[in-house]
Amino acid sequence: MSLDENQQPLLQEEEERAYDSDEKVLVIGIDSDAESSGTVLPPFSWKKLWLFTGPGFLMSIAFLDPGNLEGDLQAGAIAGYSLLWLLLWATAMGLLVQLLSARLGVATGRHLAELCREEYPTWARMILWIMAELALIGADIQEVIGSAIAIKILSNGVVPLWAGVTITACDCFIFLFLENYGVRKLEAVFAVLIGVMAVTFGWMFADAKPSASELFLGILIPKLSSRTIQQAVGVVGCIIMPHNVFLHSALVQSREIDHNNKVQVQEAVRYYSIESTTALVISFVINLFVTTVFAQGFYGTELANSIGLVNAGQYLQDKYGGGFFPILYIWGIGLLAAGQSSTITGTYAGQFIMGGFLNMRLKKWLRALITRSCAIIPTIIVALIFDTSEDSLDVLNEWLNVLQSIQIPFALIPLLCLVSKERIMGTFKIGSILKVVSWLVAALVMVINGYLLLDFFFNEVTGVAYTTAVCTFTGAYAAFIIYLTSRGITCSSWRGPPKQIEVE
């Protein structure tokens, strides 16, 4: 270690941490002291799993945000059931990335933004911070507009888009209010919101009466055609959210464990893996509900290419009718739950990103307000500009998807470099096989998003000046990615807790 035992507590007091000690959920002490401090992993405990349950469900919200729902409905309307297999595998890839993020947080006791601050020189970490903030703002605009669309639906159009954005901005204060009641209460609220999405979209799924045989064939048999390539890229591209990679590595630190105790770290990794997998299975089912409803109702119709988040509710109402409860409002409630939950987790992620990269010791309400303002102010401007045109909102959404795609390497590459280093992870570094698989997944995601970027710019950008600017940006962008990949991790002053010491 570069710090002795007396220096380490002092550093922890001076630095910004994801959670203060009095905010963490205590999970140690359920078993006997001998079992907790032994070298053998204790048997599985449902009680411990329950205490570790929470962070994975907050993380899974990013897989259910309005941007993902729009990707689902467009994939279903244009490609039918044929891309369900890709949705499954994209979720599996997202799960792998999130498990690595959780592993990093548990093994080191620090989250990804904090480690980037320690491991990269000032100029590089400032670029990483700016990119993370841009990714968060881009995601937040989509999420806030999704909530505003839901509010407009549920108010029968009385509340305009800009007013819905303003109402959604208040979730910052809801978040701060919930935080005062503890981590578990906040997690319970998100569990309720996920439950609302499951019930509403499940209701729509039941109303649509999809073909069971087509559903299972779509999941089991890979199909891809030139006509559906854009939707396929969208399905994969919107699964891995850059800010969510930062978020999960911080969320897992809400549980109080001894990061120097090998057995306790192994236990935490095991329970977080089970919990995260369960959460993403639920998110996959909800995404499948949405894709299937639009596949059953609009695939092969003239309306398929014109469906977006703004008009989806009305199209559902025209197709499936009112029933016991109008499907338009069922869709609106589910969309509102998705938008509100994702904007609150965006505020949460923004706190960790800002605090980790800049080591800012600000009061939580002030940091949340700063984080919220960074996204809400441009979102209100966007809502005022684009409120009158559905086509304009679709164009905006395309640009925001491009913004998200650009940011993905700046979260994935540092994560994979960190979890591969014994100096950082100790005995919990990933093995050779998992390292190869992880880099292959990362490369696949980056290539797919690279395709999306090139296709978008070639179609949208014209003129010599614009082309020159795009080429210059692309060169600088590629150079920084190469730098991150080749340099790996250097310039470290913090060596992490001593993982190689055998537990007595």
Side-chain angles (χ1 to χ4, degrees), residues 186-252:
L186 184 65
E187 291 168 350
V189 170
F190 281 97
V192 170
L193 291 171
I194 292 173
V196 169
M197 284 185 269
V199 170
T200 53
F201 297 138
W203 190 329
M204 289 167 48
F205 178 81
D207 278 352
K209 298 179 176 62
S211 167
S213 59
E214 289 188 70
L215 179 64
F216 284 109
L217 288 174
I219 294 173
L220 298 175
I221 300 177
K223 290 181 181 178
L224 193 62
S225 67
S226 57
R227 190 173 57 85
T228 61
I229 189 68
Q230 187 175 357
Q231 284 68 45
V233 170
V235 167
V236 177
C238 66
I239 284 293
I240 297 178
M241 307 290 284
H243 71 273
N244 207 40
V245 179
F246 288 95
L247 175 65
H248 201 193
S249 63
L251 290 174
V252 295

Side-chain angles (χ1 to χ4, degrees), residues 29 34 40 42 55 67 89 123 137 168 192 228 239 261 264 293 295 300 332 343 349 375 378 440 473 483 488 499 502:
V40 179
W89 283 103
W123 70 269
I137 291 170
T168 305
V192 170
T228 61
I239 284 293
N261 186 312
Q264 290 184 19
V293 166
T343 51
L440 286 175
F473 170 80
Y483 166 80
K499 297 294 188 301
E502 291 296 329

Side-chain angles (χ1 to χ4, degrees), residues 260-404:
N260 294 322
N261 186 312
K262 195 173 179 181
V263 172
Q264 290 184 19
V265 173
Q266 284 178 319
E267 265 201 299
V269 169
R270 176 173 70 176
Y271 288 118
Y272 280 134
S273 297
I274 296 171
E275 183 242 4
S276 298
T277 302
T278 303
L280 288 196
V281 167
I282 294 172
S283 75
F284 167 72
V285 172
I286 293 173
N287 283 314
L288 181 142
F289 284 162
V290 176
T291 303
T292 303
V293 166
F294 285 88
Q296 182 67 20
F298 303 102
Y299 175 60
T301 68
E302 295 180 358
L303 298 174
N305 289 307
S306 62
I307 296 179
L309 206 60
V310 177
N311 57 22
Q314 190 57 53
Y315 280 3
L316 286 170
Q317 183 70 17
D318 294 340
K319 177 67 179 180
Y320 294 108
F324 174 74
F325 193 72
I327 199 168
L328 171 66
Y329 298 117
I330 296 173
W331 166 254
I333 292 169
L335 181 59
L336 183 62
Q340 286 295 313
S341 57
S342 55
T343 51
I344 296 174
T345 53
T347 302
Y348 219 16
Q351 289 194 75
F352 294 133
I353 289 170
M354 182 179 289
F357 276 108
L358 303 183
N359 194 25
M360 295 177 64
R361 292 191 62 83
L362 296 175
K363 291 185 180 296
K364 285 190 174 182
W365 70 267
L366 180 58
R367 194 167 56 189
L369 190 60
I370 293 172
T371 302
R372 209 78 210 96
S373 299
C374 288
I376 289 298
I377 292 174
T379 305
I380 292 176
I381 295 171
V382 163
L384 288 171
I385 294 173
F386 292 97
D387 194 13
T388 57
S389 172
E390 293 179 5
D391 292 338
S392 297
L393 277 174
D394 289 338
V395 171
L396 170 67
N397 190 59
E398 289 181 13
W399 278 98
L400 292 174
N401 286 337
V402 168
L403 179 63
Q404 291 292 312

Side-chain angles (χ1 to χ4, degrees), residues 8 39 56 149 199 389 401 413 434:
Q8 185 71 25
T39 56
I149 291 171
V199 170
S389 172
N401 286 337
I413 294 174
L434 183 56

